[in-house]
Amino acid sequence: MRLQRLVATAAVTALALTGCGGEKIGDTGSTGSSAAAANCGTFNLAINPWVGYEATAAVIAYVAEKDLGCTVTKKDLKEEIAWQGFGTGEVDAVVENWGHDDLKKKYIDEQKTAVAAGSTGNKGIIGWYVAPWMAEKYPDITDWNNLNKYASMFKTSESGDKGQLLDGDPSFVTNDEALVKNLKLDYKVVYAGSETALITAFRQSEAKKTPVIGYFYEPQWFLAELKLAKVNLPAYTAGCDADAAKIACDYPEYDLDKIVSKKFADANGPAYKLVKAFNWTNDDQNVVAKYIAEDKMSAADAAKKWVEANPDKVKAWLAQ
Amino acid sequence: MTTTTAAAVPRPGIRLSKPVKVAAILVAWVLIWIPTHGTHTLSLSPADLTPLHEWLNEVNDTVGANRNSSPIFLYFFNEIRAGIDALVTFVQALISQPSFGRPVPVLGWLGVVAVVAYISWFFGNWRVALLAAGGFVFFGLQGLWQESMDTLALTLSAVAISLLIGIPLGIWAGLSDRFNALVTPVLDFMQTMPTFVYLAPLTLLFLIGPASATIATLIYAMPPAIRITAHAIRSVPRAAVEATDSLGATGRQTLTGVLLPLSKRTIVLGVNQTIMAALSMVTIAALIDAPGLGKTVIKALQTLDVGTAFNAGLAIVVMAIVLDRVTTAASNRVRQVGTTHRFRRPVAAGLGVLTAICCYMSYTYVWAAEFPDQAGVGRAISRGADEVTLWAQTELSTATEAIKNLVTFALLNPLQSLLVESPWWLVGAVVVLLAALIGTVRTAVTTAACVALLIGTGLWQDSMTTLAMTIVATLLVMVLGVVVGVWMGRNRFADRIIRPALDAGQTMPAFVYLVPFLALFSATRFTAIVAAVVFAAPVAIKIVADGVRGISATTVEAATAAGSNTWQLITKVQLPMARSSLTLAANQGLIYVLSMVVVGGLVGAGALGYDVVAGFSQGQLYGKGLAAGAAIVLLGIMLDRIARASSPSNSPKGHR
Amino acid sequence: MTGEAVISVKDLWKVFGHKAELVPRSAELSALSRRELIDRTGCTAAVRDVSFDVAPGEVFVVMGLSGSGKSTLVRCLTRLIEPTAGSIIFEGEDILAADKKRLRDLRRRKFSMVFQHFGLLPFRQVLDNVAYGLEIRGAGKAERIRRAKEVIDLVGLDGYEHSYPEQLSGGMQQRVGLARALAGDPDVLFFDEPFSALDPLIRRDMQNEVIRLHREVGKTMVFITHDLSEALKLGDRILIMRDGAMVQCGTGDELVGAPADDYVRDFVQDVPRANVLTLRWIMRLPRPEDVLDGPELGPDVVVRDAVRLVLAAGKPVKVIENGELLGVVTDEEILAAVTGVEVPA
């Protein structure tokens, strides 16, 4: 029976505690609705899985919430699934799109569930890169004509007796196999399989001075950590990539754009207007991406910091 | 035909010749390979598609286009989605998400910890209750309270639905041989088909949200519930069932009076396995916006933030260990009968009141609702993980590079060229012959069907590349399994030290250790193999350890009395007697290795794993990814059937 | 046989395997030995063409070595295993024709069975295990408990009502099994090697227990065993099986005194003959030189009980039935029986 008494004592103590328990939930008043114009409603913003995208999305979300009073729901999704969401009404906007002509064809032209909403102002550059130490030590390596000279240096356990060209994230279409073949390069394309794998490879290359050449792109937060040198392939000319099997030129410069769902565009609400007007530079994005990736700030804090430093740009978006 | 008769007549002379025959086939393979290699290899470059892949794309597009008009969607999938959404949202409202117009969930951290501890005590014992409370407080200290609760909510919902469907199906499969035969390949399929393949279609059918994440999880988590329940029903002692029959019991009386009570303990183990499987899906579900720890891991990976990913991964490991120990304790408790403590009832009531008070406080007061901001611990863990990773990357990578090159050049490359460069008909013939030799005609037929279907997927060459890696990884798993398993089986102390590490290896999401592995081994096939070994070896080790420990003490005693030294004891007694455990370990190791093929694709393995990942990422490769997933399943079925045929416990059952 | 049989088995077959039902029908196949049948068809004949009757109140023992088909036979009787061919008549009713419901009813009220491995439910107390059969037939709780307590007393387990099976010794567990079988007050009790798993001393106790219960409740019993001494001790009549077929059926002294073949002879060779045989089996016809004024005994007196008298008499003892002189027994016959030397009958 001692146990029973013990339990009873504990219960009484606990009850006494509740008498002086401290701040109650709801005491501070509801913080949910701020004073701004509240006709924005819910804004479903897809977050594609790379930091540059997250930077763009964070700034748009921050402005939408703070200045327009929207309720922003961020959804972490890969591109394909995000576009799929336009049709089911679960995604309103994708705010950094890299080409994806196949998706445009399917969702904009065929299913008519999405529409383009203009450029983000960012320029996407895809190509082959080497770590800075290599560009320094072998200055002529950035010209593709000299790549065969260095091929044996890039040999790995994966590439047999050829040089290894590390290919990247499966999300992007690459022409690398065709390029290697058509430029008669003594290289083998090895699929690293993820952005993580690429970044780690370049990092190790720089740290241990081991030769690595691989597919990469900008804007990308990692370039702030390590300024990779781009290898110049034969210059891109309009139409040189028309036949996928015969490509022998560099990747085009991508105009990164915004895609929104048809419904979202037709409603023409404040959030849509913001998305449409949004425009900034690669440097802008790199700053925010650096806050997130290097300084480990939360996306919202990073956006806040940039918005407070760039009131003019934000004002310009809202003015339209 | 000669091979099958040889297998049927157990004469010592013929037994000996089996390995010789296998060797002869392998030698013949190499000899034929020399003049024919490089021909008929059925290669397909990563960007190319076959008509089958294109057709699959079209099917996918058609489904997508009809999403909003078809009655199947409007009245079937939408209803399921709504039901599951409601369940998950309700659980989230209880423990993880702001709900009912409040800025916090119904139960704050204090309430959740109290409830978890109470449940653990009630169904388990004091020790697991303390462990559970400690584990949950640790989530808060890590700064991951809300993420952990989101993960818990999703896991519990998926497990609840898995059990709701899985246990009745398992009972049915336990009672009916016919249904069991029907459901087994389906379960094989559910467990080996890579999740990446059905993630995108799921969001098409059930939209983005909790329902899709839950269904993705339960597709993987339900099979253990069904299998183990069926096994439990089947292993109820015949005597008890017969006695009940002889008393004139109806089928229902037998089920509720004998079968269910006697299989309860094993079914609880099924619950345990279901929970573990559900937790292993946490990171993958995050790819379709499932909230929780998985998201933290994936986000951290984008910036290669190993520390943060490790912190979140550690929370998953802790949750897995807590849930594992609690359910194991619950299942042990089921076994103890008639030992109810005199004070149990009043204590249960008292603690119940205490728990209710904690719940009330966490409902009412801010301090008990929101975990005090204590991210310090989490930050320290992250920093520690970062430092260890950095140290390993700089100090070890020369050594690891050497190991990588050794395995790649000595083992992987020769095997891969043999498999990949052989004409398809040569590999097919060799595999079917081996199946016939090791197993029966039936094994050979199944194998031949798998080979034909593999060719049909259009991904023959990629399949062979993946097969080479799978074989090497399984070999390494078995080496580790035997060495560490025997050690653990013979030494209780070693067992106690190593086991938690094995638990961690099994439950730590692969995404967490990809970055350091990439740094140590570069983006190579070997990295993929190492990742697979980390995941698969724990299972093999545990099975071997249990097998070695399960050998009767008398046998060991007799061998020792005969003057065996330790080495003789291990090689002549313990390993041969644990042979069925070794086969099981190889079988399970293989399945686990195959389930890591996709992760391998993310770190340089290429082949099927890359095809699946690319199919998930790029719309126009969807069909190819699906075909690659099917190829993985086919490889799994093929290897599993051959392995099973070679297992000694596979003799047909007699009547009695 | 004596009176109306409780159970009457005719031409019973149980064949396991594919298309098993063809075997008993085919004269050719049914004539094959077990081994030949397996080689020819892959089927195993566990019970081959067995016929016998069990009289009311009788203890009928089926005996054979392991694999002889005796356990399959007893399961066929209550259709725990479905027989392949033949007929089983219980109290005038064809068991094989009974539908599921009727069969359940018979099992609930008319038969019960005691198993080698007890088949107790580990999660139930003794009381609930014993009452389980009553619970299945839907008896009320109070009645169940009353009746269960009654049989628990009967088998000598009072005081253990609230123990769990695993807390009891093997012998006590089998008493629970026995009590469970008795609780439903069945007409026939089937025992499937109930004491094989027990220690010799406990086994002897349990055998005595069965003899006592048989005396007290007078149930018909069908008892399966592989132990000849157990069979002789308990059985009114004994059926010997080998490879699924009947070899001989008769009383204990018939088996010992007149084995049907070498198989049975081998079996009974080590039995202490004096304990089993009656004077009928060892007496001889009177010879002219015999002095016929010695003591008289009946023909069914067991040799063991006659030893002292015959040896003390110093002259031939007359075996008399209904006033008629059947034969005589002298020191010579008695000593031959006691020392186990077989005398040609």
Side-chain angles (χ1 to χ4, degrees), chain B residues 88-100 104-109 111-113 115-116 136 145-157 319 369:
Chain B
V88 180
T89 315
F90 174 71
V91 182
Q92 282 178 331
L94 283 183
I95 60 174
S96 71
Q97 296 285 345
S99 56
F100 306 117
V104 290
V106 174
L107 282 186
W109 69 270
V112 173
V113 170
V115 169
V116 165
F136 273 62
W145 179 260
Q146 155 131 38
E147 288 84 350
S148 303
M149 288 308 106
D150 272 326
T151 291
L152 186 66
L154 200 69
T155 306
L156 288 184
S157 310
M319 190 178 291

Side-chain angles (χ1 to χ4, degrees), chain B residues 301-315:
Chain B
L301 203 64
Q302 283 168 24
T303 57
L304 277 69
D305 184 350
V306 178
T308 305
F310 178 79
N311 191 34
L314 188 62

Side-chain angles (χ1 to χ4, degrees), chain B residues 466-631:
Chain B
T466 297
L467 179 60
M469 281 182 272
T470 306
I471 291 173
V472 171
T474 311
L475 276 179
L476 294 178
V477 165
M478 281 316 287
V479 169
L480 274 175
V482 169
V483 172
V484 184
V486 167
W487 185 32
M488 280 172 66
R490 292 170 49 87
N491 184 336
R492 290 229 165 242
F493 182 70
D495 188 289
R496 214 166 307 144
I497 301 289
I498 297 172
R499 209 165 268 266
L502 298 182
D503 290 340
Q506 260 181 296
T507 46
M508 176 67 82
F511 290 91
V512 173
Y513 49 74
L514 288 190
V515 173
F517 280 14
L518 280 165
L520 290 176
F521 306 109
S522 316
T524 59
R525 288 161 295 157
F526 185 71
T527 311
I529 290 175
V530 173
V533 169
V534 167
F535 182 60
V539 188
I541 293 173
K542 283 182 187 171
I543 293 174
V544 173
D546 290 346
V548 168
R549 184 158 302 141
I551 297 168
S552 85
T554 336
T555 316
V556 177
E557 215 169 21
T560 315
S564 318
N565 62 29
T566 308
W567 176 249
Q568 287 170 327
L569 194 61
I570 293 174
T571 54
K572 302 218 185 285
V573 180
Q574 290 178 318
L575 280 181
M577 289 201 61
R579 193 172 149 204
S580 66
S581 299
L582 291 182
T583 319
L584 181 65
N587 179 291
Q588 288 299 299
L590 179 74
I591 301 282
Y592 275 60
V593 165
L594 275 175
S595 70
M596 289 292 277
V597 164
V598 173
V599 170
L602 295 172
V603 293
L608 294 181
Y610 182 84
D611 294 335
V612 170
V613 176
F616 173 60
S617 305
Q618 297 181 40
Q620 74 268 35
L621 291 181
Y622 170 77
K624 191 174 185 182
L626 181 55

Side-chain angles (χ1 to χ4, degrees), chain B residues 238-251 253-254 256-258 261-262 335-339 655-656, chain C residues 16-17 44 67 71 75 80 104 107-108 111-113 115 117-123 132-133 135-136 164 166 180:
Chain B
R238 241 185 94 81
V241 179
E242 209 173 30
T244 307
D245 279 351
S246 82
L247 292 168
T250 59
Q253 283 172 327
T254 311
T256 56
V258 183
L262 281 179
R335 190 170 46 170
Q336 300 164 0
V337 285
T339 47
H655 316 284
R656 263 204 75 97
Chain C
F16 291 105
T44 313
S71 285
R75 282 170 174 70
L80 283 175
R104 260 203 316 265
R107 287 180 186 167
R108 287 179 181 185
F111 311 138
S112 7
M113 194 152 168
F115 296 87
H117 298 296
F118 322 140
L120 302 179
L121 301 181
F123 52 91
Y132 186 51
E135 188 182 324
I136 281 176
Y164 286 88
E166 65 180 16
R180 180 179 60 190

Side-chain angles (χ1 to χ4, degrees), chain C residues 183-195:
Chain C
D185 196 23
D187 293 357
V188 182
L189 278 166
F190 296 100
F191 293 83
D192 179 27
E193 300 203 42
F195 309 140

Side-chain angles (χ1 to χ4, degrees), chain C residues 275-323:
Chain C
N275 293 355
V276 179
L277 292 184
T278 56
L279 296 184
R280 191 193 297 277
W281 292 100
I282 61 165
M283 66 188 184
R284 61 169 169 79
L285 291 176
R287 295 185 195 129
E289 69 271 22
D290 287 338
V291 187
L292 291 178
D293 59 352
E296 295 175 5
L297 283 173
D300 293 328
V301 174
V302 177
V303 173
R304 186 185 50 200
D305 301 337
V307 171
R308 186 174 293 268
L309 186 83
V310 174
L311 293 184
K315 46 183 135 179
V317 171
K318 291 180 287 182
V319 180
I320 306 257
E321 190 177 39
N322 303 329

Side-chain angles (χ1 to χ4, degrees), chain B residues 288-359:
Chain B
I288 47 171
D289 200 39
L293 295 165
K295 236 180 201 183
T296 312
V297 172
I298 299 273
K299 274 265 152 77
L301 203 64
Q302 283 168 24
T303 57
L304 277 69
D305 184 350
V306 178
T308 305
F310 178 79
N311 191 34
L314 188 62
I316 296 176
V317 171
V318 169
M319 190 178 291
I321 290 181
V322 165
L323 294 176
D324 172 71
R325 301 300 188 266
V326 170
T327 41
T328 307
S331 115
N332 287 337
R333 187 180 192 96
V334 167
R335 190 170 46 170
Q336 300 164 0
V337 285
T339 47
T340 319
H341 197 273
R342 207 152 58 89
F343 291 127
R344 188 168 161 81
R345 219 171 264 210
V347 171
L351 290 178
V353 171
L354 205 62
T355 307
I357 292 169
C358 287
C359 290

